[in-house]
Amino acid sequence: MRFHGTNKLLATLKKSAKLSGKDGFSIEPVETDTTILNELFDWHASMIEVEEDYIVNFVNDLTQLPVIIGPLSLEDVLDSFDLFKKQLQTMMQKQHFEDAEIQTYLRSVDNPTVTKSISRAKLGPLSAVTSDTNVRIKELNVSEIDTAALSEELSEVPRIKDGEVSIPLENWFDAWVERSNNHTFSDFSDKFNEQWIPALNDPSQDHWSKLYDEIDQVSKVKPWESYSDYEWIAVQHPETKEWTYCTIMGNDGSFKGIGLFTGRAGLNSLYTIYDQENDLPDYLSHTKQDGIIISFLDQEEDLDQDNADRLEKMDRLQSNGSLIPEVMKHTPGFIPWGILSDEEAQWTTDVIEQLLTVLNESEGQPLPSVTSGHVMGRQQEENQWITKEHNLLEWEQIKEVKEKELFRNEIAIHRIKRAPKAKNTIVMDVAYTKSVIQEHPHERPFYPMLVIGIERSSGLVLDVKPFSNASETKQIVQKSLMDICSKGKPKEVIVRKNSIEWIIEDFCKKTNIKLKTFDRLVEVEDVMKEIHDEQI
């Protein structure tokens, strides 16, 4: 059996072996011959560290069945494979598998092959299980977590594989039914074709190398020792004239890094992050950051897998105490992503080069603070880069103002006007779930969305509509409101300020329904928390 671990788990296994005095696992090379791989025997694994306790998450590559082990001490992390074997055996016995079948499968755990994570396709399911486990840890003291019960609960949470929604526990059962028909495990899965295939627009090795050369210079300069996160530097693209706003993080003792936020969307993201009064609800936390974050880490095991593989390939993983760079792209609605396009890599290189120029010119002297309404900028004039102050646009000037959506369905308007009056108040919003979905092995995992309508007085959920494409938002919102109104016309609808008001304003006006906006919708926050609790 093969176990493909994250960097953090593999590093902790080594520490556990040293502390316990037991023989550790040798980390084998990643298998590149996909013809001999069998997903039924492959598991991906990650680790969560909470104070002095450790929890290990295993997810089967074929069925997405989760097995969660812990809490463990550092000394006992090495035993996680034996504990995995016992817990999986218990789960299979509850599913009434034959003892001979169980033992045939579990014998392969006795001498496991341990490698790094081999497929980006598995990171979606593994991230989802890790995220769900993290939420449970936050709700309970880690010592109170029953990981056996949690394994069974998460095995019944719907996941997506090959574009289809299914239950991991049912997938696991179906796998064994197919195996019994074939009479051999080796015939079960011979279509392992999910190894990462680089996109056509991936940066070349040369472009990555140039980017990391500039990143190394930032690490040497250590700007976080001299500048605060309110001293931004702006760089203007010579062709598009779009500004990229650079922040320096780490002056307050938190993690060290720089952030690059481009255009109005990037600046809006920065205002959202820095403005404490613009505190988004938890169900929209995935929409805050819109930019590229370059962090400088102390330990290799904390490094994102894509970054680790790239640095190792370029022979840039250092073990001499130097800070290790991690490049992550943050996009609203998607998980953080360690992959850049070629254009992004080249522009990021240019921006950092200009950032370093400003830092060298300033010689440690303070830069303009964003609170003053302007930042130090770099831009080209007559093909020459120059440094001069750049005025910041205020948030009111950059926030997206959407054109009011006209509702032209006269038949629906007529029916709603004549519908019985419910005389209630409806609270509506669009929310992101916390479960991660990856529809295709080579696509970036994302957080699906819900349009949710709630009766304010009772807290009763009147309508929930899931969707995955933001371009469908207005159609889904209108359909949800029409379905609610068809059962009884409400006296008013409440939405969050600057959210979906533009979609339903004309609808409410034409159907004589009062429309109000609030800063926060407690009813939606409560329901979304319940939905996430049920998922885990």
Side-chain angles (χ1 to χ4, degrees):
M1 192 174 296
R2 283 168 290 270
F3 294 92
H4 314 293
T6 60
N7 284 334
K8 191 167 187 176
L9 174 59
L10 298 180
T12 305
L13 286 172
K14 292 180 181 178
K15 294 177 183 177
S16 179
K18 185 176 181 180
L19 183 63
S20 65
K22 300 176 183 178
D23 293 334
F25 296 100
S26 60
I27 309 303
E28 302 295 330
V30 174
E31 182 60 66
T32 57
D33 184 1
T34 60
T35 61
I36 67 172
L37 295 180
N38 182 343
E39 286 186 290
L40 184 63
F41 281 90
D42 283 274
W43 294 75
H44 269 63
S46 65
M47 188 195 72
I48 300 172
E49 180 179 357
V50 184
E51 297 177 353
E52 296 182 355
D53 291 310
Y54 298 83
I55 290 179
V56 182
N57 304 310
F58 296 89
V59 177
N60 184 254
D61 283 8
L62 179 69
T63 66
Q64 301 187 27
L65 183 77
V67 177
I68 303 167
I69 305 300
L72 306 170
S73 66
L74 177 58
E75 184 176 353
D76 293 334
V77 171
L78 198 66
D79 298 328
S80 56
F81 295 97
D82 290 333
L83 296 172
F84 159 85
K85 179 178 178 180
K86 293 177 182 178
Q87 190 145 300
L88 181 57
Q89 180 176 5
T90 301
M91 293 175 69
M92 294 179 72
Q93 287 172 340
K94 288 183 178 181
Q95 291 177 274
H96 305 292
F97 287 106
E98 296 291 336
D99 286 341
E101 288 184 313
I102 297 174
Q103 294 307 318
T104 299
Y105 185 79
L106 294 181
R107 270 196 293 269
S108 61
V109 184
D110 294 335
N111 295 295
T113 297
V114 181
T115 79
K116 289 185 178 181
S117 175
I118 62 174
S119 174
R120 194 185 311 265
K122 312 308 171 194
L123 296 183
L126 184 62
S127 297
V129 170
T130 303
S131 173
D132 291 342
T133 306
N134 258 317
V135 170
R136 182 57 60 88
I137 290 173
K138 291 178 180 178
E139 295 173 343
L140 301 172
N141 186 292
V142 66
S143 61
E144 298 175 358
I145 293 178
D146 183 345
T147 51
L150 183 57
S151 298
E152 295 181 8
E153 289 177 18
L154 294 184
S155 68
E156 297 181 357
V157 173
R159 307 292 185 193
I160 286 187
K161 182 177 175 64
D162 299 330
E164 297 182 0
V165 179
S166 58
I167 307 296
L169 196 64
E170 295 176 357
N171 275 351
W172 183 255
F173 181 82
D174 292 342
W176 285 77
V177 170
E178 185 171 341
R179 177 260 171 186
S180 63
N181 291 335
N182 291 340
H183 302 293
T184 172
F185 282 119
S186 61
D187 290 341
F188 180 74
S189 176
D190 57 1
K191 297 180 180 178
F192 193 102
N193 60 356
E194 293 184 299
Q195 280 208 300
W196 176 247
I197 300 173
L200 295 176
N201 198 29
D202 273 7
S204 66
Q205 189 81 355
D206 180 57
H207 287 163
W208 276 123
S209 182
K210 289 179 180 177
L211 173 56
Y212 279 109
D213 284 344
E214 296 297 331
I215 291 174
D216 287 344
Q217 290 302 311
V218 175
S219 181
K220 292 176 182 178
V221 172
K222 299 180 180 178
W224 42 83
E225 294 183 355
S226 304
Y227 300 97
S228 75
D229 55 0
Y230 282 93
E231 295 173 276
W232 301 354
I233 296 170
V235 182
Q236 187 181 46
H237 195 288
E239 297 177 4
T240 67
K241 303 304 178 183
E242 201 168 39
W243 289 91
T244 293
Y245 299 89
C246 311
T247 65
I248 298 169
M249 299 167 284
N251 186 259
D252 60 354
S254 61
F255 78 94
K256 306 173 184 67
I258 58 174
L260 281 62
F261 299 84
T262 298
R264 287 179 172 242
L267 185 57
N268 191 16
S269 173
L270 274 174
Y271 283 149
T272 302
I273 295 168
Y274 281 82
D275 184 4
Q276 297 301 315
E277 295 180 356
N278 189 20
D279 185 21
L280 290 176
D282 186 56
Y283 59 78
L284 292 177
S285 60
H286 310 310
T287 69
K288 286 185 179 180
Q289 288 189 319
D290 190 354
I292 294 171
I293 307 296
I294 300 172
S295 308
F296 295 90
L297 309 178
D298 295 316
Q299 302 182 74
E300 180 184 336
E301 56 259 38
D302 294 329
L303 193 61
D304 161 73
Q305 190 66 55
D306 289 316
N307 278 268
D309 292 343
R310 183 163 59 237
L311 290 171
E312 186 174 37
K313 182 179 179 181
M314 300 172 68
D315 197 26
R316 285 179 177 263
L317 269 180
Q318 301 176 4
S319 57
N320 59 0
S322 299
L323 294 174
I324 304 171
E326 179 184 68
V327 181
M328 299 296 290
K329 178 166 61 176
H330 294 257
T331 308
F334 291 84
I335 69 166
W337 198 233
I339 307 299
L340 303 183
S341 69
D342 189 50
E343 292 80 2
E344 288 169 333
Q346 290 187 66
W347 177 235
T348 301
T349 304
D350 293 341
V351 170
I352 297 177
E353 182 181 357
Q354 300 307 318
L355 167 74
L356 289 167
T357 299
V358 174
L359 295 178
N360 289 331
E361 291 176 349
S362 66
E363 296 181 339
Q365 296 302 308
L367 295 171
S369 172
V370 295
T371 56
S372 67
H374 50 268
V375 297
M376 194 61 74
R378 288 283 287 175
Q379 62 191 96
Q380 279 193 9
E381 290 187 4
E382 297 180 355
N383 295 323
Q384 294 292 323
W385 283 101
I386 63 170
T387 303
K388 67 179 184 181
E389 290 190 7
H390 166 64
N391 293 327
L392 280 172
L393 293 173
E394 296 180 359
W395 187 74
E396 289 294 329
Q397 295 176 282
I398 64 160
K399 69 178 182 181
E400 185 178 13
V401 179
K402 300 209 174 184
E403 185 178 350
K404 181 171 64 177
E405 179 69 18
L406 298 179
F407 189 75
R408 296 187 172 90
N409 189 332
E410 298 297 333
I411 296 177
I413 293 172
H414 178 72
R415 287 177 177 173
I416 292 171
K417 280 184 175 181
R418 296 174 61 86
K421 293 183 179 180
K423 297 183 180 180
N424 57 355
T425 296
I426 306 300
V427 180
M428 290 192 72
D429 204 358
V430 174
Y432 283 87
T433 69
K434 291 190 176 181
S435 296
V436 179
I437 285 181
Q438 187 175 37
E439 293 186 334
H440 188 277
H442 309 315
E443 292 180 352
R444 185 175 180 182
F446 63 91
Y447 301 97
M449 293 173 279
L450 302 174
V451 171
I452 187 166
I454 304 167
E455 186 177 58
R456 193 182 191 194
S457 59
S458 65
L460 180 67
V461 177
L462 301 180
D463 192 64
V464 176
K465 286 184 169 47
F467 64 107
S468 58
N469 193 331
S471 65
E472 301 173 348
T473 302
K474 62 182 181 182
Q475 291 89 347
I476 302 296
V477 168
Q478 287 187 349
K479 179 67 166 60
S480 177
L481 190 53
M482 288 170 61
D483 288 348
I484 292 173
C485 290
S486 66
K487 300 169 186 174
K489 179 182 172 182
K491 66 177 181 181
E492 63 183 6
V493 175
I494 297 175
V495 298
R496 193 170 40 83
K497 190 178 294 184
N498 300 318
S499 60
I500 58 174
E501 184 179 5
W502 65 281
I503 299 175
I504 67 173
E505 181 182 356
D506 190 58
F507 175 97
C508 290
K509 181 179 179 180
K510 289 177 177 176
T511 54
N512 300 322
I513 299 173
K514 187 182 296 184
L515 177 62
K516 291 183 179 179
T517 62
F518 286 4
D519 289 332
R520 298 284 290 266
L521 304 178
V522 177
E523 297 82 3
V524 177
E525 293 183 42
D526 290 343
V527 169
M528 288 306 299
K529 184 178 184 304
E530 290 179 13
I531 289 175
H532 186 61
D533 289 347
E534 290 175 1
Q535 289 177 332
I536 65 171

